[in-house]
Amino acid sequence: DSLYVLPLPSWIFAVILFTLLFIIGIHNVYKKYIGLLTSGANKLSYGDSQETDELLEFVKNEAADRGIRTPHLYLSSKPATNAVAVGRRQNGHIILYDGLLTSLSDLEETKAVLAHEMAHIDLYHCTILTVTNGINAYVQRWLEWTFAKTRRILNRRAGVSENESQLQSVARERAKYCLFVINLFQYSISRHREYVADLEAASAVGP
């Protein structure tokens, strides 16, 4: 039997369709991620306090030096000692957590943290993270579907009945095991991004 090959127009259509679905998926991941991070956080504005005005001015000047649009700055009341940057060079968001601010000794340290997060935005680190997360989500769903479908076929041939929720749970666990390589790649990228952002922040705020 000869192998059936789709004609060229069909391949082009399939590639275009897959690309569109991939872009839509990445965009949805991006929107959900921003919504999750900014949920319950207060957007900082000029006039809130003298310290806030100084931080906003620092972010504005740093953005001008980098040639990017000034990121939106948020303050979350969560106790986490963390700060997060998300978004693109022309639409960035930085979330500062209250736990981080209370652990810093002065405003200069906060500026160093902001410079670090702005480096992530400027160097496309946030975009890369969004894309890799989107790829991870797509691959995981495909693996889950493949494992579940294969298990159903094998169960049907063996005359075995299995609870659907249990089947889905097993498929998810096996998919996670297979994603180890992708997760390891993501971790290596993440570590490199942090080192680069640290260097950029040190250069921005000085010794």
Side-chain angles (χ1 to χ4, degrees):
D1 294 337
S2 58
L3 179 66
Y4 176 74
V5 179
L6 287 174
L8 184 59
S10 298
W11 277 112
I12 294 175
F13 176 76
V15 170
I16 293 175
L17 180 61
F18 176 81
T19 303
L20 288 175
L21 291 174
F22 181 76
I23 292 174
I24 292 173
I26 293 294
H27 182 66
N28 288 334
V29 171
Y30 170 76
K31 287 176 62 179
K32 289 180 179 179
Y33 189 47
I34 291 180
L36 179 65
L37 291 175
T38 58
S39 177
N42 297 318
K43 186 176 181 180
L44 300 182
S45 305
Y46 283 101
D48 290 344
S49 67
Q50 182 178 351
E51 291 78 9
T52 298
D53 290 349
E54 188 172 343
L55 292 177
L56 289 171
E57 195 64 22
F58 173 81
V59 171
K60 179 181 177 182
N61 293 334
E62 181 68 12
D65 291 340
R66 290 181 174 277
I68 65 176
R69 186 176 179 180
T70 304
H72 304 287
L73 191 59
Y74 300 85
L75 176 62
S76 173
S77 59
K78 295 179 180 179
T81 54
N82 195 18
V84 180
V86 64
R88 298 172 285 108
R89 298 180 82 248
Q90 301 305 317
N91 186 29
H93 306 263
I94 298 176
I95 300 92
L96 297 173
Y97 291 93
D98 190 59
L100 174 69
L101 297 183
T102 55
S103 67
L104 298 177
S105 59
D106 56 37
L107 211 57
E108 293 305 312
E109 290 187 356
T110 307
K111 291 179 182 178
V113 172
L114 289 172
H116 175 100
E117 299 303 329
M118 292 185 71
H120 283 316
I121 296 173
D122 182 30
L123 299 174
Y124 301 97
H125 293 169
C126 302
T127 302
I128 293 172
L129 178 63
T130 302
V131 172
T132 54
N133 283 341
I135 293 173
N136 194 316
Y138 266 107
V139 173
Q140 181 171 348
R141 290 182 181 179
W142 179 80
L143 287 173
E144 288 177 6
W145 179 87
T146 301
F147 285 133
K149 184 70 174 179
T150 303
R151 195 174 180 90
R152 290 191 193 97
I153 294 174
L154 294 176
N155 286 343
R156 186 164 56 250
R157 290 179 178 177
V160 177
S161 178
E162 185 174 9
N163 182 273
E164 181 65 22
S165 61
Q166 181 181 357
L167 187 148
Q168 292 291 343
S169 177
V170 171
R172 280 192 295 270
E173 289 300 317
R174 292 187 177 179
K176 288 179 182 179
Y177 291 138
C178 292
L179 287 172
F180 173 76
V181 175
I182 295 179
N183 291 333
L184 186 63
F185 175 69
Q186 280 187 296
Y187 178 78
S188 65
I189 291 178
S190 174
R191 292 305 89 202
H192 179 263
R193 289 199 327 261
E194 294 304 321
Y195 296 144
V196 172
D198 282 341
L199 291 174
E200 292 277 330
S203 175
V205 300

